[in-house]
């Protein structure tokens, strides 16, 4: 299917799938125990459900995403691995608390998501048994890729269309720790910078146009977008020069795993 301009494009997102998947695998590696029920908030096209089953083969997985295109793709290609639900991450409420709530590179799109994490902490804190909340969010909002995007989008003739477009909301690891490190909980929080070596022309643009730059690109009219794209590509090439072995994209991410004792 062809995604609406305002929706996510699953096929575009799955470019550089190996690089995008690695933080999720690293996050799952820090989750203790053997959860029987897993809720994946921001499941995307569903391709990472396989990583959950690789770690816990018998886990029953429910994936939630706010993108109709992502949910449709997930159901079509991974419907036998999990149940996929269209829902808003900010207020989704399951029938019963799962053993594990996991969210990979999704909550940065939810304004005020510290409150969302506190709500999930409280939900998982009820009833018997150990439960875990595991989250990973990009922490590269100050990187050249985003700085160039914001600077260019704020200039004319683009600013008239890009004002008010969605921006990521990311907090320091210490803030996530502060929200989740309540009595009765053990919290592991850390940051990692990956050095992704990307292949192909304008590789950084290909990466970010599927994620962080998507709201700006979608906001621009069809007759204006090409000029913006060409200027953005040129500035990205200067900031991230292509080398003989590929283009290096440093990408910092924040992780937090909170387990009720």
């Amino acid at each position: 299917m062809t995604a609406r301009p305002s929706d996510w494009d699953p096929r575009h997102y799955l470019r550089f799938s190996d690089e995008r998947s690695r933080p999720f695998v690293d996050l799952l590696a820090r989750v203790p125990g053997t959860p029987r029920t897993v809720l994946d908030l921001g499941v995307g096209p569903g391709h990472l459900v396989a990583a959950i089953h690789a770690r816990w083969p018998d886990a029953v997985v429910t994936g939630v995403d706010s993108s109709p295109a992502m949910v449709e793709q997930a159901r079509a290609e991974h419907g036998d691995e999990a149940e996929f639900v269209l829902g808003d991450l900010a207020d989704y409420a399951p029938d019963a608390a799962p053993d594990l709530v996991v969210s990979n590179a999704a909550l940065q799109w939810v304004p005020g998501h510290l409150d969302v994490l506190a709500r999930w902490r409280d939900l998982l804190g009820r009833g018997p048994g150990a439960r875990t909340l595991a989250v990973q969010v990009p922490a590269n909002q100050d990187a050249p890729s985003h700085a160039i995007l914001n600077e260019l989008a704020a200039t004319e003739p683009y600013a008239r269309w890009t004002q008010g477009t969605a921006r990521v909301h990311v907090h320091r690891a210490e803030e996530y720790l502060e929200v989740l490190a309540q009595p009765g909980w053990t919290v592991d929080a850390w940051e990692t910078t990956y050095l992704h070596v990307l292949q192909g022309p304008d590789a950084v643009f290909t990466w970010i146009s599927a994620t962080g730059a998507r709201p700006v690109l979608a906001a621009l009219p069809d007759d204006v977008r090409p000029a913006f794209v060409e200027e953005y590509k040129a500035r990205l090439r200067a900031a991230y020069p292509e080398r003989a072995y590929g283009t290096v994209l440093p990408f910092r991410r924040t992780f937090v795993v909170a387990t009720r004792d």
Side-chain angles (χ1 to χ4, degrees), residues 85-246:
V85 178
L86 183 66
D88 189 333
L89 306 191
D91 56 17
Y92 179 78
D95 295 332
D99 297 330
L100 169 63
V101 173
V102 62
S103 182
N104 181 64
L107 282 178
Q108 72 273 11
W109 294 109
V110 180
H113 65 255
L114 290 180
D115 292 336
V116 176
L117 289 179
R119 180 170 64 85
W120 280 104
R121 178 203 65 207
D122 293 343
L123 175 66
L124 296 179
R126 303 184 196 127
R131 294 192 175 98
T132 299
L133 176 60
V135 173
Q136 181 271 126
V137 290
N140 66 330
Q141 64 272 22
D142 296 327
S145 56
H146 287 67
I148 294 169
L149 174 70
N150 296 334
E151 178 183 346
L152 184 59
T155 64
E156 292 297 345
Y158 312 118
R160 71 189 70 174
W161 291 289
T162 61
Q163 287 183 350
T165 53
R167 298 283 183 90
V168 296
H169 301 261
V170 179
H171 301 274
R172 302 190 316 275
E174 295 89 336
E175 294 177 87
Y176 294 113
L177 176 67
E178 182 69 21
V179 169
L180 298 175
Q182 301 296 310
W185 289 81
T186 299
V187 181
D188 183 11
W190 71 99
E191 292 185 349
T192 295
T193 298
Y194 296 87
L195 297 180
H196 298 305
V197 181
L198 308 181
Q199 304 300 321
D202 293 310
V204 175
F205 175 80
T206 300
W207 176 292
I208 195 172
S209 62
T211 53
R214 185 185 59 84
V216 169
L217 297 176
L220 294 170
D222 291 344
D223 60 337
V224 174
R225 190 181 306 113
F228 181 93
V229 167
E230 288 310 308
E231 178 65 19
Y232 188 31
K233 285 181 176 179
R235 296 191 188 189
L236 288 175
R237 286 195 293 268
Y240 302 92
E242 184 177 5
R243 306 185 186 281
Y245 53 82

Side-chain angles (χ1 to χ4, degrees), residues 26-39:
D26 291 346
L27 179 67
L28 293 184
R30 297 295 298 167
V31 174
T34 306
R36 297 162 298 175
T37 53
V38 178
L39 178 62

